[in-house]
Amino acid sequence: MQSWKLQTAKAQFSELLRCASQEGPQDITIRGRSVAVMMSRELFDRMSGNEQSLVDFMRASPLAGHDEIEFERP
């Protein structure tokens, strides 16, 4: 994983974004300490399990198709 100082990452953001998309996660440091990682959206979705759209998620809900559900309000 390539490491970028914060100042360099800010100044070369387009290059940082390209590297994250094509080469993999990029480490961002402040005073030599790792503080963040930039990665492609595709990798993030795979790692976080967000491959499903919100619509698909709602359709898969156990409550999908139950139009008569009433929620009590305090």
Side-chain angles (χ1 to χ4, degrees):
M1 177 174 4
Q2 185 174 344
S3 184
W4 299 70
K5 291 181 181 179
L6 179 61
Q7 298 86 341
T8 306
K10 287 168 40 177
Q12 298 178 359
F13 186 76
S14 295
E15 178 65 12
L16 172 62
L17 185 60
R18 185 197 66 73
C19 288
S21 296
Q22 295 178 359
E23 299 172 16
Q26 304 292 304
D27 186 40
I28 301 171
T29 64
I30 296 176
R31 293 186 210 104
R33 197 173 125 250
S34 179
V35 294
V37 174
M38 179 180 269
M39 66 177 71
S40 69
R41 181 65 194 204
E42 178 186 357
L43 179 57
F44 176 79
D45 285 344
R46 269 191 284 136
M47 292 179 71
S48 64
N50 288 338
E51 295 178 16
Q52 184 176 34
S53 74
L54 179 59
V55 172
D56 292 336
F57 175 79
M58 297 299 279
R59 286 182 180 152
S61 166
L63 301 177
H66 296 288
D67 298 332
E68 303 299 323
I69 297 174
E70 292 186 27
F71 296 97
E72 293 183 26
R73 296 180 185 205

